[in-house]
Amino acid sequence: MLSPLVSPSSPRTMSLNDMVAVLKAAGEPTRLRLLYILSLSDLTVSEITEIMGQSQPRISRHLRLLVEAGLAERYQEGAWAYFRATDRGAISDFLKNLMRQLNIDDSILHNDHEWLEAIRAKRAAKAEAYFAANAASWDRIRSLHIREDAVEARMLELVGEQRVDDMLDLGTGTGRMLELFAPIAGRSVGLDASKDMLSLARSHLDQAGLSNAQVRQGNIYQLPMARNSFDLVLVHQVLHFLDDPAAAIREVAKVMRPGARLLIVDFAPHEHDFLRNEHAHQRLGFSREQMSEWLEAAGLEVREVSDLKPDDNDPNKLTVSFWLAQDPRVLVAGSSQDASSKETIA
């Protein structure tokens, strides 16, 4: 069994022993093929066996060795386990350099890539079927408020062009926010409770070729992420589905690094009861005062609040509100790069 390596989020160098362990794990034909396809997409064991034409026990053994060496990550989504190439720290740097040295026209790798594209096509077909079945209800809600492109433009304006290392999108849905902010995010994670929506998001990420973005299943009240993990968190049209938005905001604050920002986008107060009865909305919008109170109670500072009203100022349509908040802690110069051990001052 390979010795466990340093955390993927640790400083971007490896000791001699760690490097030897990584090289041993990667230096085997099947495992190198696995790293290639896992650097392109998150995959289940059954999908991998279909791509590589090997038995499930054999694939599982190789995956276990890669995970033990820190080269791959495993995460659970309901009854399914997904695997992906590690995308943080020194091992991520090693993998990126290794993949750049591979000749993707090699007949074996080329065949693996063709089978991967077939898997992606199956995902896309399933996702489109789900989207088609639900498109009518989504279109009805969208018709009630300002155009999505205007909302997205405002979000980009509020966040700015400064690059962020790690971004979290809560209630990621179709994965649109991961795609929208991809130009400034070094690594992004989308979280959603719905397996159907995650399938749709994976299909969209595959089509967009976003290898630095991933999606996970999880509960916004119990985030499956370490404290101090993200520089930017997005909560776009999610809180109105929750019975306790304040608790969710408190949980979000835990995974924010010192100086990290949180952007919440949701509806201003309204009286469209059909959204509660037909679309599971728990809250009919939020006032500026209420949201700001929740953010401050979670230890965050509100930096900006703004609204986008419908183009025609129709009082029967919804106003979209934006809250930009920030973790007021300041990172102490010279502290460890490991987020879990950062020293901060209030």
Side-chain angles (χ1 to χ4, degrees), residues 3 42 52 54 59 102 138 148 155 173 187 203 208 224 240 274 297 313 319 344:
S3 60
D42 296 18
M52 300 185 64
Q54 299 186 19
I59 292 297
L102 281 177
W138 294 342
E148 285 293 335
M155 294 178 70
R187 169 179 173 268
S203 175
H240 59 250
F274 85 91
N313 288 316
T319 292
T344 60

Side-chain angles (χ1 to χ4, degrees), residues 264-269 286 288 305-308 319-323:
I264 294 175
V265 182
D266 220 298
F267 297 127
F286 303 94
R288 290 187 171 205
V305 183
S306 59
D307 295 322
L308 279 181
T319 292
V320 178
S321 297
F322 304 80
W323 292 265

Side-chain angles (χ1 to χ4, degrees), residues 85-311:
T86 295
D87 60 358
R88 289 167 290 167
I91 295 179
S92 174
D93 294 341
F94 167 82
L95 283 174
K96 289 175 182 177
N97 288 327
L98 184 64
M99 293 303 108
R100 280 194 286 265
Q101 301 304 315
L102 281 177
N103 179 6
I104 60 174
D105 292 325
D106 175 271
S107 59
I108 295 176
L109 295 180
H110 182 76
N111 188 62
D112 288 343
H113 195 274
E114 285 190 338
W115 278 100
L116 174 60
E117 289 304 311
I119 293 292
R120 287 174 164 174
K122 289 182 181 179
R123 288 181 177 179
K126 182 179 179 181
E128 288 306 315
Y130 175 77
F131 182 82
N134 293 274
S137 62
W138 294 342
D139 286 343
R140 184 182 180 190
I141 295 174
R142 280 196 292 266
S143 70
L144 290 173
H145 62 80
I146 194 167
R147 302 185 321 275
E148 285 293 335
D149 59 346
V151 173
E152 293 178 357
R154 181 59 176 149
M155 294 178 70
L156 290 170
E157 178 185 354
L158 286 167
V159 170
E161 299 179 356
Q162 180 179 351
R163 189 163 180 81
V164 296
D165 291 331
D166 297 279
M167 185 188 86
L168 176 63
D169 178 33
L170 295 173
T172 196
T174 65
R176 171 57 186 160
M177 293 298 107
L178 301 177
E179 183 179 0
L180 181 67
F181 285 90
I184 68 165
R187 169 179 173 268
S188 55
V189 180
L191 190 81
D192 206 287
S194 167
K195 292 177 65 177
D196 288 325
M197 294 306 297
L198 290 173
S199 295
L200 185 59
R202 282 196 184 92
S203 175
H204 286 173
L205 294 179
D206 285 344
Q207 292 171 12
L210 297 180
S211 59
N212 66 331
Q214 57 182 284
V215 293
R216 301 284 178 88
Q217 187 175 37
N219 183 344
I220 195 171
Y221 295 121
Q222 295 178 311
L223 295 176
M225 288 93 181
R227 289 175 179 264
N228 302 312
S229 296
F230 295 95
D231 309 295
L232 174 65
V233 182
L234 307 176
V235 186
H236 174 242
Q237 299 293 9
V238 172
L239 293 184
H240 59 250
F241 288 110
L242 306 182
D243 59 357
D244 193 352
I249 292 172
R250 291 195 299 271
E251 182 70 4
V252 169
K254 294 177 184 177
V255 303
M256 294 172 62
R257 289 175 178 148
R261 292 172 295 163
L262 166 63
L263 177 59
I264 294 175
V265 182
D266 220 298
F267 297 127
H270 62 85
E271 298 180 356
H272 292 286
D273 280 323
F274 85 91
L275 292 175
R276 191 198 308 273
N277 300 327
E278 300 177 23
H279 299 279
H281 287 209
Q282 298 287 323
R283 303 288 182 121
L284 299 184
F286 303 94
S287 69
R288 290 187 171 205
E289 295 74 20
Q290 179 67 87
M291 189 70 76
S292 296
E293 180 181 320
W294 287 337
L295 289 165
E296 291 167 2
L300 304 175
E301 293 183 354
V302 179
R303 297 300 189 191
E304 187 169 345
V305 183
S306 59
D307 295 322
L308 279 181
K309 299 181 182 296
D311 297 332

